[in-house]
Amino acid sequence: MKNLKTEVFTKIFRVIKAVTSAVKAIGKVIGFGLLVAGGFIAQSHAANEDYLIVNAQIYTVDKSMPWAEAVLVENGVIAAVGPEKELLGKISSNVEVIDLGGRMLMPGFQDPHLHALEAGINETVCFLPAEGTEDIYREEIGYCLDEQHDNPWFMGAGVSMPALLETVESPMAFLDRLIPDRPAVILDNLGHGAWANTKAMQAVGYLDFQETPGVHPQGGLIDRHPFTGRLTGVVFENAQQKLRNAALPPTKDNVDFAYESLLQALELLAENGITSVSDAGGYWPRGHQEAWIRAEEENLLRVRASNALYLYPDLPFEEQIAEFQKRYSNDPAKLLRFNQAKIYVDGILSQATGALYQPYEASLDLPKDLQRGFLYFEEETLFDYVSTLERLGFQVHFHATGDRGVGLALDAVAHAGKENGSRGIQHRITHLYLVDQKDVSRFTELNVITDFQLAPSSTSSETKRYLAGFIGNRAENLMPARKLYEAGVEVVLSSDWDAEELSPLMKIEAVLTQKDGAFDRVENVIEMMTLNVAKLLQHADKTGSIEPGKLADFVVLDRNILDIPVNEIGAVNVEATLLGGEVVYDPKGLFP
């Protein structure tokens, strides 16, 4: 990006500060501190053992038979579903009968957009308050310095970059005084910015931008002081990724650390009844892919994972395509696949970087070339990437928050269709805070699925008031999942954990109780978190519903969520999780 006025971010952040005066940063509802010791257990049923589940309220998500009394599992596969008395009469004496005591059994939840490995890593860095004072940051970082004294880079997270720039006159100089001897990077609380000291900025070549006002790395933005023009040490969007990669190179220690972080995340996924995921991080230069592969090789991968590889807008096209081709995997017989390409089209509305058809609010006083937001890629480059990746077999996972970002993602899919013909690959767009009416019909025309995160924090009236400072009354139509669903567009629901809450049950409650655009049928919401996701992740022939011939991916709940008030669903407990008939979570020993 060029011709960016140096004062633009300060102006944006003054508005953000005013808008958020009544809205504090949303903390993580579910964190690793909530892990139950001993809750994640080794498999107790081998895949070749047979058992019949009885005395259960079995919701199948199979429209031909939504409810059943019993289900027979043979060698990890559903052999029969039907009346309890009938199935009891058919089994042999070596089939174990498991009585669930009236609990609910349903297909395991599937989360198509989360950051499992990063969630584990983020729990170990120096976590700072989103909005703090210089004294608070000085004190908290001081504590963390003792804990990280052997690390080559200091790492922190949690800070609101708008609040930081309003509070600390020179963030880079402030961090230099606290950490003068090594590179330091502190990630923001939204995943779209970072704060660095001079050594860190120097390590990735960002000090060179000091002499080139208005010039930024492709797909990123580097902040400057509005009066001096000096770098502040704060960067946004893809510019943060170079700092992250430098701080966490794929050394043996770092990959081992990523692996241990992933194992922690897998525990929490099992606790929440999640049996399939798509990890949306995909930062392959950091060795994240290797951590997942190791978990599968060591038989510790307790989910089916169709994961993404992140597309960097600042890397050479041919070099990156070669990396994607080398790392692609899509064996349906394995738990782990790397068949998704994560592409950021734009940024986020709360940073005025989400791409809009109509300008942001005039009060932001943005320069002309940023009044409608920010794009990671030039249009031609984006189209070339999508067409090429589709030919390689990748499903494209677009990040788009603004309506223009959503429209451009649809344009890229349409272009790929013209280039490649019909290849039967379904792409998806995630987030979709704003969708223009003229683009609604294009989702079904182009076979594009929509992926929403309708967590309590993202659907609240406070969030709408917050974003109204950026987009005015357009904030009343945020995340139009219900509107698209009623227009025949395929919808899935995901968590974006750890940026948002992980719990599928909390999400179901939020979707059914949000003030505007709420869904009114629990059955529809369950389908968006089971069978619809299975279709997206290309394993609906094996998962997503309880039907003969499919794998026994189950979750057991202490109550029937279709038979209680919707505002109680978030408090329902997951009591067991099974993957391919094997128990991966069972703290009460329901499956002896």
Side-chain angles (χ1 to χ4, degrees):
M1 294 277 299
K2 297 184 178 181
N3 302 319
L4 179 68
K5 292 183 180 179
T6 59
E7 71 273 14
V8 59
F9 279 110
T10 297
K11 288 180 177 179
I12 293 174
F13 297 146
R14 284 173 182 161
V15 174
I16 294 173
K17 189 71 174 178
V19 171
T20 60
S21 60
V23 183
K24 297 301 181 182
I26 300 169
K28 290 182 238 181
V29 172
I30 295 181
F32 279 88
L34 299 181
L35 283 175
V36 178
F40 182 69
I41 63 175
Q43 63 194 55
S44 63
H45 275 280
N48 61 356
E49 290 184 354
D50 302 340
Y51 53 92
L52 177 68
I53 298 173
V54 299
N55 191 16
Q57 300 180 72
I58 302 171
Y59 185 63
T60 68
V61 194
D62 174 10
K63 288 184 171 61
S64 67
M65 186 174 66
W67 293 95
E69 295 178 341
V71 57
L72 176 64
V73 176
E74 296 178 350
N75 298 319
V77 177
I78 301 168
V81 182
E84 182 176 310
K85 185 176 181 180
E86 178 182 319
L87 295 187
L88 279 169
K90 291 182 177 180
I91 63 173
S92 61
S93 59
N94 64 341
V95 174
E96 186 173 6
V97 177
I98 297 175
D99 187 324
L100 286 186
R103 294 174 174 85
M104 182 179 189
L105 181 81
M106 58 174 282
F109 294 114
Q110 304 198 21
D111 193 330
H113 181 109
L114 48 66
H115 301 266
L117 192 151
E118 290 175 277
I121 292 175
N122 288 346
E123 287 296 321
T124 66
V125 302
C126 180
F127 198 79
L128 301 172
E131 297 184 38
T133 64
E134 289 192 19
D135 287 343
I136 289 174
Y137 289 140
R138 186 180 297 109
E139 182 178 4
E140 293 295 328
I141 290 172
Y143 291 142
C144 296
L145 280 170
D146 291 337
E147 298 173 358
Q148 297 190 27
H149 64 275
D150 289 333
N151 297 354
W153 278 62
F154 177 88
M155 288 200 69
V159 174
S160 164
M161 295 300 120
L164 175 72
L165 288 168
E166 185 73 19
T167 303
V168 180
E169 183 175 352
S170 179
M172 187 160 62
F174 177 73
L175 207 53
D176 285 344
R177 290 193 294 272
L178 295 176
I179 312 172
D181 58 335
R182 55 182 160 150
V185 60
I186 297 173
L187 310 176
D188 78 345
N189 60 336
L190 298 173
H192 287 258
W195 169 24
N197 68 358
T198 297
K199 284 186 176 294
M201 296 285 279
Q202 185 176 33
V204 297
Y206 285 169
L207 292 185
D208 296 343
F209 287 90
Q210 184 65 70
E211 308 306 322
T212 55
V215 178
H216 298 264
Q218 178 62 44
L221 296 165
I222 295 182
D223 185 57
R224 298 170 182 272
H225 193 280
F227 304 119
T228 68
R230 306 296 295 175
L231 302 183
T232 66
V234 172
V235 303
F236 295 93
E237 302 305 340
N238 186 69
Q240 63 166 319
Q241 298 300 346
K242 208 167 185 178
L243 288 162
R244 289 178 182 241
N245 290 351
L248 292 170
T251 63
K252 183 181 184 305
D253 284 347
N254 283 340
V255 174
D256 286 348
F257 173 57
Y259 176 66
E260 294 300 326
S261 299
L262 175 59
L263 294 185
Q264 284 188 297
L266 292 175
E267 292 186 22
L268 199 52
L269 293 175
E271 271 192 31
N272 280 274
I274 296 168
T275 55
S276 289
V277 301
S278 181
D279 192 284
Y283 302 111
W284 47 272
R286 300 177 209 161
H288 287 187
Q289 188 178 16
E290 285 71 21
W292 283 92
I293 291 171
R294 179 178 168 187
E296 183 178 40
E297 290 175 345
E298 297 185 359
N299 198 30
L300 292 175
L301 186 59
R302 295 293 184 251
V303 291
R304 305 186 194 282
S306 298
N307 289 351
L309 301 173
Y310 177 80
L311 194 76
Y312 291 85
D314 55 337
L315 292 183
F317 183 94
E318 295 299 336
E319 173 187 318
Q320 191 158 212
I321 287 296
E323 284 286 352
F324 272 58
Q325 188 168 15
K326 179 177 68 175
R327 295 171 182 274
Y328 175 80
S329 64
N330 195 26
D331 184 347
K334 290 190 172 184
L335 288 177
L336 177 63
R337 296 181 284 173
F338 287 92
N339 57 0
Q340 311 275 318
K342 180 67 180 297
I343 299 181
Y344 278 70
V345 180
D346 62 0
I348 52 177
L349 299 181
S350 58
Q351 206 162 267
T353 52
L356 303 179
Y357 282 128
Q358 299 301 319
Y360 281 89
E361 289 295 282
S363 59
L364 293 174
D365 194 23
L366 296 172
K368 187 174 181 180
D369 58 341
L370 283 181
Q371 288 176 358
R372 296 194 302 136
F374 174 81
L375 296 173
Y376 270 57
F377 296 87
E378 298 293 336
E379 183 176 301
E380 182 178 355
T381 304
L382 176 66
F383 288 5
D384 287 345
Y385 266 125
V386 173
S387 296
T388 304
L389 290 167
E390 184 182 85
R391 287 195 296 273
L392 293 177
F394 283 94
Q395 289 180 281
V396 178
H397 179 170
F398 294 98
H399 164 112
T401 62
D403 48 14
R404 183 165 66 108
V406 171
L408 188 56
L410 292 169
D411 291 344
V413 173
H415 179 268
K418 292 176 182 177
E419 289 278 310
N420 300 332
S422 176
R423 303 184 66 86
I425 296 178
Q426 186 176 45
H427 305 299
R428 48 114 163 222
I429 304 175
T430 191
H431 301 313
L432 304 109
Y433 272 72
L434 293 176
V435 177
D436 193 271
Q437 180 61 40
K438 69 175 179 292
D439 288 324
V440 170
S441 63
R442 301 177 68 202
F443 290 97
T444 52
E445 292 168 6
L446 297 170
N447 193 29
V448 173
I449 198 165
T450 58
D451 172 17
F452 287 92
Q453 296 81 43
L454 301 178
S457 53
S458 59
T459 58
S460 67
S461 57
E462 288 83 0
T463 298
K464 291 185 177 182
R465 287 198 296 270
Y466 172 72
L467 291 177
F470 299 89
I471 59 174
N473 59 13
R474 286 171 288 183
E476 293 302 315
N477 299 305
L478 290 178
M479 295 186 174
R482 173 77 180 261
K483 174 182 175 182
L484 292 176
Y485 179 79
E486 291 178 344
V489 177
E490 195 164 356
V491 174
V492 298
L493 301 177
S494 62
S495 68
D496 200 14
W497 179 61
D498 66 336
E500 295 284 0
E501 300 91 342
L502 176 61
S503 167
L505 294 160
M506 289 178 63
K507 186 161 51 206
I508 293 172
E509 179 178 322
V511 171
L512 293 164
T513 59
Q514 65 187 61
K515 184 177 179 181
D516 300 309
F519 287 89
D520 53 12
R521 289 178 55 82
V522 181
E523 296 91 336
N524 294 343
V525 179
I526 290 174
E527 189 172 11
M528 294 172 200
M529 298 168 63
T530 53
L531 188 56
N532 283 9
V533 182
K535 293 174 183 176
L536 168 65
L537 300 183
Q538 304 176 81
H539 58 199
D541 59 327
K542 297 180 178 181
T543 74
S545 60
I546 299 177
E547 300 180 64
K550 290 194 175 185
L551 296 168
D553 290 3
F554 301 148
V555 59
V556 178
L557 306 177
D558 68 348
R559 283 176 283 168
N560 182 346
I561 61 174
L562 286 91
D563 196 33
I564 61 174
V566 294
N567 61 358
E568 296 180 9
I569 293 175
V572 169
N573 294 314
V574 172
E575 299 210 329
T577 305
L578 295 91
L579 182 73
E582 300 178 6
V583 174
V584 294
Y585 176 70
D586 184 16
K588 292 188 175 182
L590 300 177
F591 292 80

